[in-house]
Amino acid sequence: MLLLMSVAAGLSVAGNYFAQPLLDVIGSDLHLSSSTAALVVTVAQVGYGLGLLLLVPLGDLLERRRLAVTLTAATAAFLTVTASAPNAALLLTGTALTGLTSVAAQVVVPYAATLAAPAERGRTVGTVMTGLLLGILLARTAAGLLAELGGWRTVYWVNAALMLLMAVLLRLRLPALRTPAGLRYPALLRSTLALFAQEPVLRWRGALGALTFAGFSVLWTALAFLLSGPAYGWQESAIGLLGLVGAAGSLSASVAGRLADRGLAHHVTGAAAFLLLGSWGLLAAGGAGGTWSPAALLAGVIVLDLSAQAVHISNQNLVYAVRPEARNRLNSAYMTSYFVGGAVGSALTSVVWGAGGWSGVCALGAALAVTAAGLWLAERLRRRRRTANRYAERGPAATGETAASVTS
């Protein structure tokens, strides 16, 4: 069942990323400028963000299996709209609607977390998220290979058929699960937004997630333009194969989940945030030209993906632990922040690429990484001050704490 949920999550989100290695060929086929073609990625992320805000909270209101199956079947239908799009308007419409309903993946993740024993929640979330992340990254590989075989539309037709199969399997295999919140839909949405005001962990981790995924989107939106340009001159299939390199980042999901089970989520976040900054130095060298450029580029992709996913999994485990009875709404709030960051990153990339090329893109990514590292440090200092204040107010005799525990 865990394997099925992982595959379903990966296939659900894959449709939002097929376009990234194909932006050049889609633009040529539909006569789009590079900035308009880049909007395909942005629109997918905006649609996904709206789905996170409007649809994922329904998991705390409706029976979750039915919700997951309905969203999965709807995604299959909207993928066919994208596959048959004759112009930019229908392409963007199909992409936005696919993004909206592909949040089935984010219904499945807290579903798995709820079914898991508390001591194994980190491992379970990490396993399902590994499937989701592989879907994001291998989508590029599948898109490139299938585009070579039958054109850019082929991958959307194939994914539509697979999503229909997933809808059937989820209906047959998943247990029914209802965790009613006792709220009507408008109140449910208000309570989701209210969580930002009520839960400091959600605010800090939502901001960290937004910055991290913005940097992730900056890389993968601009990479197709770099690799198809004069510096590399790669074909679509070769660009798509880079997703196999990026898929190494998904390995960090399971490791980060296990470390979260051991109480090390904050340490993982800090280490990953500083690795993100280093990855942009490698990526800048990868676009500079020269014998070592391809190696530097590949290393930068791997380090960035590993770091971004480690931050994300750590964030999710900390957020899910805040209020178990509101796990879908917490996931909705966090993931909305996350994908708003991704949409902003993609939109900025389309502007920065035109103005500054790959160097400008790397500067943008590095600035986002510096901000994320600074935010982690600020959160760390805040937690230490709060712990020290509690220790001072209550005293070690009352709390059973020692001075060493305050600085740990």
Side-chain angles (χ1 to χ4, degrees):
M1 187 169 63
L2 194 59
L3 176 61
L4 173 62
M5 296 171 90
S6 301
V7 173
L11 288 174
S12 291
V13 298
N16 297 323
Y17 298 91
F18 290 140
Q20 288 185 348
L22 306 177
L23 292 177
D24 188 56
V25 67
I26 291 174
S28 298
D29 185 41
L30 299 181
H31 309 292
L32 310 177
S33 66
S34 58
S35 59
T36 302
L39 283 177
V40 175
V41 179
T42 302
V43 164
Q45 290 170 339
V46 170
Y48 199 80
L50 288 173
L52 290 167
L53 181 63
L54 300 175
L55 299 180
V56 172
L58 289 171
D60 288 335
L61 186 65
L62 305 176
E63 196 276 304
R64 292 189 192 180
R65 180 179 62 185
R66 182 179 300 171
L67 178 62
V69 170
T70 301
L71 291 174
T72 302
T75 302
F78 293 137
L79 282 165
T80 65
V81 175
T82 304
S84 57
N87 52 48
L90 203 55
L91 174 71
L92 295 175
T93 300
T95 300
L97 291 173
T98 297
L100 182 73
T101 57
S102 65
V103 294
Q106 296 303 329
V107 173
V108 168
V109 175
Y111 196 156
T114 301
L115 294 175
E120 297 181 349
R121 184 171 299 124
R123 182 182 66 84
T124 300
V125 171
T127 300
V128 178
M129 284 301 301
T130 297
L132 188 150
L133 298 171
L134 283 172
I136 292 174
L137 294 165
L138 295 180
R140 303 176 179 92
T141 303
L145 294 174
L146 290 173
E148 287 284 317
L149 292 174
W152 66 267
R153 301 174 190 273
T154 305
V155 66
Y156 291 99
W157 288 115
V158 170
N159 192 223
L162 291 173
M163 288 301 293
L164 190 58
L165 175 62
M166 283 296 105
V168 173
L169 292 177
L170 289 173
R171 178 62 183 83
L172 294 175
R173 299 292 298 169
L174 290 187
L177 180 64
R178 184 187 292 272
T179 52
L183 299 172
R184 293 184 180 275
Y185 182 65
L188 192 72
L189 293 183
R190 288 195 297 270
S191 71
T192 301
L193 296 175
L195 288 171
F196 282 110
Q198 297 165 1
E199 303 297 342
V201 170
L202 177 61
R203 291 196 298 272
W204 285 96
R205 291 289 156 169
L208 265 173
L211 288 166
T212 303
F213 196 54
F216 183 92
S217 296
V218 166
L219 169 65
W220 287 102
T221 302
L223 203 55
F225 296 128
L226 173 70
L227 296 177
S228 62
Y232 284 84
W234 288 11
Q235 298 297 315
E236 290 80 15
S237 57
I239 296 172
L241 284 172
L242 196 63
L244 293 175
V245 177
S250 66
L251 299 176
S252 67
S254 181
V255 174
R258 285 177 166 79
L259 291 173
D261 286 338
R262 296 169 57 186
L264 298 174
H266 292 283
H267 296 79
V268 171
T269 304
F274 284 99
L275 281 174
L276 277 173
L277 180 58
S279 71
W280 284 106
L282 291 169
L283 291 166
T291 305
W292 294 101
S293 289
L297 187 71
L298 294 177
V301 169
I302 291 172
V303 173
L304 186 142
D305 280 355
L306 283 168
S307 305
Q309 306 317 333
V311 172
H312 181 44
I313 300 303
S314 300
N315 287 348
Q316 284 188 305
N317 278 283
L318 290 170
V319 168
Y320 287 167
V322 172
R323 287 170 59 177
E325 80 283 358
R327 196 162 280 146
N328 275 275
R329 281 168 285 164
L330 284 166
N331 192 49
S332 169
Y334 168 73
M335 291 302 299
T336 298
S337 301
Y338 189 72
F339 275 88
V340 165
V344 171
S346 297
L348 289 174
T349 303
S350 63
V351 176
V352 171
W353 176 264
W358 185 250
S359 297
V361 165
C362 291
L364 173 61
L368 291 168
V370 167
T371 307
L375 194 63
W376 173 80
L377 285 172
E379 183 195 24
R380 181 86 172 157
L381 292 173
R382 173 182 169 276
R383 290 178 63 247
R384 285 188 173 185
R385 283 196 300 269
R386 289 183 63 190
T387 303
N389 288 340
R390 286 199 304 268
Y391 179 79
E393 290 171 2
R394 300 168 63 188
T399 63
E401 296 173 324
T402 64
S405 71
V406 174
T407 58
S408 64

